Amino acid sequence: MIKLTVNGKTHEVDVDPDTPLLWVIREWVGLTGTKYGCGIAQCGACTVHIDGVATRSCSIPVSAVANNQITTIEGLAQSGTPHPVQKAWVALDVPQCGYCQSGMIMAVAALLKENPKPTDADIDAAITNICRCGTYQQVREAIHAAASA
Amino acid sequence: MNAMPKFNRRTFLVSSVAAGLSLGFHIPFSDEAHAQDATPEVNAWVVIKPDDTVVIRIARSEMGQGTRTGLAQLVAEELQCDWSKVTTEYPTPGQNVARNRVWQNFSTGGSRGIRESNEYVRKGGAAARMMLIQAAANDWNVPVAECRAENSVITHQPSGRSTTYGKVAEAASKLEAPKDVPLKAAKDWTIAGKPLKRLDTVAKTNGTQVYGLDIKLPGMLVASIKESPLLNGKVKSFDASKAEGRPGVRKVVQVGDNAVAVIGDTFYQTKTALADMPIEWDGGENVKVSSDTIAAMLKEGLGAEQAFVGNKAGDAKAALASATKRVEAVYSYPFQAHATMEPMNATALYTPERCEVWCPTQNGEAALAVCAEAAGLPVAKCDVYKQDLGGGFGRRGMSDYVRQAVTVAKQMPGTPIKLIWSREDDMTHDFYHPISQCKLSAGFDTAGNLTALHMRISSQSIMAYVFPQNLQNGMDPAVFQGLTPNSPEGHFGYSIPNLLIDHAMRNTAVRPGFWRGVNTNQNAIYVECFMDELAHATGQDPLAFRQKLLADHPKHLAVLNAVAERAGWGKPAPAGIYRGLAQFMGYGSYVAAVAEVSVNNGQLKVHRIVAATNSGHAVNPAQIERQVAGSFVYGLSAALYGECTVKDGRMQQENFDTYEVMRMDEMPKVETIVMPSNDFWGGVGEPTISVAAPAVLNAIFAATGKRIREIPLKNHDLKTA
Ligand code: FES
Ligand code: FES
């Protein structure tokens, strides 16, 4: 049994300790907002916060995070109020297919916590998630919008 | 046991509800549809609930391109409903079949969603409006001509009485559909043609959007699959005992003659069990296939006698022989993977009486046909529930993964099984952008006029693989996208007195498919980079050179002029920055782009893109801008990195570490000029991608003097000596 705290709720899962956190979140905890895109820490679709730090959950075994606070896209809003990044995403109509956007939003939320007014260069360095639909231009605008909200 | 604790009641309804097609219209699963209950439809396109909610039925698949919102705008425009009350739902392919294809074509590809269906969906909205007004007029016992509708409210003008759509919808649903249904002119639009926000954004920002990969059904298991890593290979043998008995593994099954699947509780369990299971493959002759053997075969086609003619004027060969000056070049384009963000997947539930599939698909009816075939059941006993796609780009027009899911599920009747491809499965079992080479020869007269052009394409045909029945006496007309004399789909804009564009078909063991932009991608590179070469070879400005040759094609010329003007062509660029341009026509639309790049120490940076598109009508200019910008990310990813190579009969790239794509730091701002001329209907999702690569390649030439004739750029050293 591995104990796991996701979005403030503790779960006990009877799972192979090597199972990537991503699949435990999706299949054992049942939260599917966190996406699978590559499984090798390349695309960022699986990004969650571990103790507030953006982390690619496909490449970290569940056993490594038993004592940490995990936040997924479902837990980003605070008591029903969307996070400023989510608000900016809606205001600027960022998503196309949307599949990469959970990871994108989680990565951006973590960036803004550390660096509330990122420059374009800061964004380029920090946000390396892949979006095949090519929403990068809207993502950049929305980051700036969220930063000045 | 399956570890999924969550249980969605609506999913439970699926089998029972969908089984009763004739009882009414129920779309299980769509978030927007569940409350619909028994409200009768006004017609196939429109349902209005007593609370005035407007449900618009969307036949095409939403994969990010915005077709849901655009099609809803067209229906709502004629319906004259309150846009803030609009929701949408997908009819199922099974319902379409059962209702004599009342929603017509479900296939979502070729940038056809809006241009092909605009008229009948608008008529659907207009007819519903007429019926709603009629119902109100009947109720009030007044002439219908005295009533009008606006914003979901119907008013009887003389008396000032009014009612809402929701109140008369039930009565309207019993009326006969009007026969004569006039449509508004585009200039009178108030909902269509406007840059409205998408209808489906919020769920994509909070994790609630359900993609195929997120489907949950009671008692569901998952399956991982290993399809032959050898091109068209077969399963020789496998040792199931190595997987059976492992935690979470339920069953090992062969899938057709070319794959093995492990069914189990969760993906990590099935995937690791499958990886540890020895499987032997028979690749036959194809194990000798490599990128080199394929390139040699294509090269032979460049000089072959026999070729299909796609465009011909005058006598190009004779004119070339007598030309004062000749220029020649050979270009090539590699295999490329779609790499949709969401890997292929499908969930199937088979019983001997019925088979259902939940999946992301661009072609719901094809998926239904494949489901029925694989299940061995009549179509009437099957259905497909389309999920929004985590990207399509042409890949999901194919139904191979649906066939696999049904074949797996058939081996465990009564248990829903979600087949999940890994990224590696996805990238090595794509239907790839076809490989192609092209030899171009041009001739000039003494005055420097371009008198002859011969373009010999040697390439793989998608049609020959996917729809062989559509070949015309062996010829694949789609190879000539953008190069034909007068196709409304995309014709060649340059007037050259002696012209020959022909194709030597050279099919390979790698299966080809439709890949966003399809054959316009390589055709635009060939034509537009070579035009650039010709301009430079004769000391002419690339813009002026093209303008002269495009004089007979004002729409081609207009988009080209628009980007040139916006980018400041002819005026000095900022220090160190160089420009390139390109124009093309595809999917019924006219597109052009200027790219501004710098190359320092061999390092390419794209600083700015100006892109123009004339798609005839612009149903949602804001979404068009996003499609254009997104096209450049997709197209420039292809130009910079996109290449799938073959060695010993295997595809070599398996994931994003070796098949790189553009990320944010590389993507410049795209300035989009949406310039509809309002006299035709063109596509949007694909046309602009074609000019992305040639505009950048031409700018690289301007910056470095290096002419890149083979993409991807990652294989080239851009350092200048
Ligand atoms: S799925 Fe984790 S980075 Fe791609
Ligand atoms: S929005 Fe589709 S992959 Fe990013």
Side-chain angles (χ1 to χ4, degrees), chain A residues 94-101 104 130-136 139, chain B residues 63-64 204 211 339-342 389-391 393:
Chain A
V94 173
Q96 287 187 27
C97 83
Y99 193 82
C100 72
Q101 299 295 342
M104 200 67 96
I130 293 174
C131 173
R132 286 295 276 158
C133 295
T135 60
Y136 299 133
V139 167
Chain B
M63 49 188 167
K204 293 174 180 172
Y211 299 88
T340 59
M341 275 318 289
E342 177 195 23
L389 287 63
F393 313 120

Side-chain angles (χ1 to χ4, degrees), chain A residues 22 35-47 56-59, chain B residues 341 656:
Chain A
L22 166 65
K35 300 303 184 200
Y36 165 63
C38 70
I40 58 165
Q42 279 286 322
C43 76
C46 63
T47 305
R56 294 184 174 176
S57 64
C58 67
S59 299
Chain B
M341 275 318 289
F656 290 115

Side-chain angles (χ1 to χ4, degrees), chain B residues 353-402:
Chain B
E353 292 76 42
R354 185 164 175 83
C355 186
E356 295 165 302
V357 170
W358 293 256
C359 67
T361 173
Q362 289 176 246
N363 198 342
E365 289 181 300
L368 175 63
V370 163
C371 166
E373 195 187 295
L377 289 169
V379 168
K381 292 189 168 182
C382 299
D383 212 346
V384 169
Y385 309 112
K386 298 197 295 176
Q387 309 301 311
D388 280 5
L389 287 63
F393 313 120
R395 174 62 180 87
R396 287 188 161 107
M398 306 303 288
S399 306
D400 52 321
Y401 52 96
V402 174

Side-chain angles (χ1 to χ4, degrees), chain B residues 383-673:
Chain B
D383 212 346
V384 169
Y385 309 112
K386 298 197 295 176
Q387 309 301 311
D388 280 5
L389 287 63
F393 313 120
R395 174 62 180 87
R396 287 188 161 107
M398 306 303 288
S399 306
D400 52 321
Y401 52 96
V402 174
R403 182 183 302 280
Q404 288 179 345
V406 172
T407 308
V408 170
K410 208 177 165 182
Q411 302 184 57
M412 276 188 107
T415 301
I417 297 176
K418 172 158 55 175
L419 173 71
I420 303 176
W421 281 25
S422 68
R423 172 59 61 197
E424 289 78 9
D425 297 328
D426 188 280
M427 203 166 277
T428 53
H429 294 86
D430 203 344
F431 294 81
Y432 299 86
H433 190 299
I435 195 160
S436 166
Q437 294 184 7
C438 182
K439 181 174 178 185
L440 299 112
S441 318
F444 290 88
D445 64 14
T446 38
N449 297 309
L450 178 61
T451 53
L453 176 68
H454 178 202
M455 193 173 162
R456 162 60 65 86
I457 300 166
S458 173
S459 75
Q460 179 153 25
S461 158
I462 302 171
M463 201 86 89
Y465 184 84
V466 180
F467 301 122
Q469 67 278 17
N470 290 359
L471 294 176
Q472 296 173 0
N473 294 323
M475 174 168 114
D476 174 357
V479 162
F480 300 104
Q481 272 187 295
L483 304 176
T484 55
N486 47 28
S487 162
E489 192 62 16
H491 54 266
F492 193 63
Y494 299 112
S495 300
I496 302 166
N498 299 288
L499 178 71
L500 178 61
I501 304 179
D502 54 7
H503 176 228
M505 192 187 292
R506 293 294 180 271
N507 295 329
T508 80
V510 178
R511 57 190 194 183
F514 301 100
W515 190 105
R516 193 179 195 176
V518 191
N519 294 307
T520 68
N521 291 312
Q522 70 272 22
N523 290 349
I525 292 177
Y526 300 158
V527 172
E528 287 304 293
C529 291
F530 193 60
M531 280 293 160
D532 222 61
E533 294 203 45
L534 297 182
H536 288 287
T538 53
Q540 303 184 61
D541 172 69
L543 174 64
F545 181 71
R546 286 177 172 82
Q547 284 169 326
K548 206 164 56 188
L549 294 169
L550 290 173
D552 296 338
H553 290 100
K555 286 191 166 108
H556 291 72
L557 191 56
V559 286
L560 180 67
N561 285 338
V563 289
E565 193 188 329
R566 171 74 68 87
W569 190 270
K571 296 192 194 111
I577 303 244
Y578 297 85
R579 297 191 180 115
L581 52 71
Q583 67 80 28
F584 211 65
M585 183 181 181
Y587 305 92
S589 293
Y590 303 82
V591 298
V594 169
E596 292 188 347
V597 313
S598 62
V599 181
N600 288 313
N601 237 340
Q603 196 59 44
L604 169 72
K605 184 161 175 57
V606 184
H607 295 265
R608 178 190 184 206
I609 300 283
V610 177
T613 178
N614 176 4
S615 54
H617 289 90
V619 173
N620 188 321
Q623 293 311 318
I624 294 176
E625 279 185 28
R626 284 162 174 75
Q627 284 304 295
V628 171
S631 294
F632 275 85
V633 177
Y634 209 73
L636 293 181
S637 291
L640 265 55
Y641 303 113
E643 181 183 41
C644 296
T645 52
V646 186
K647 195 169 172 227
D648 303 331
R650 289 171 188 253
M651 302 310 293
Q652 290 188 281
Q653 289 69 24
E654 301 198 322
N655 208 320
F656 290 115
D657 52 346
T658 48
Y659 187 78
E660 287 175 74
V661 298
M662 248 186 160
R663 296 171 198 248
M664 198 129 113
D665 60 338
E666 293 172 297
M667 192 54 209
K669 189 166 163 57
V670 178
E671 295 170 35
T672 305
I673 306 169

Side-chain angles (χ1 to χ4, degrees), chain A residues 36-122:
Chain A
Y36 165 63
C38 70
I40 58 165
Q42 279 286 322
C43 76
C46 63
T47 305
V48 299
H49 295 173
I50 296 178
D51 296 335
V53 178
T55 307
R56 294 184 174 176
S57 64
C58 67
S59 299
I60 183 163
V62 63
S63 54
V65 293
N67 299 313
N68 306 77
Q69 291 291 330
I70 297 158
T71 308
T72 71
I73 185 77
E74 291 90 346
L76 192 62
Q78 289 299 316
S79 47
T81 308
H83 187 279
V85 173
Q86 291 171 307
K87 284 190 199 159
W89 249 241
V90 172
L92 285 146
D93 234 4
V94 173
Q96 287 187 27
C97 83
Y99 193 82
C100 72
Q101 299 295 342
S102 295
M104 200 67 96
I105 288 169
M106 294 307 282
V108 169
L111 166 68
L112 292 182
K113 207 164 92 190
E114 235 175 62
N115 179 356
K117 293 268 178 227
T119 62
D120 278 339
D122 296 339

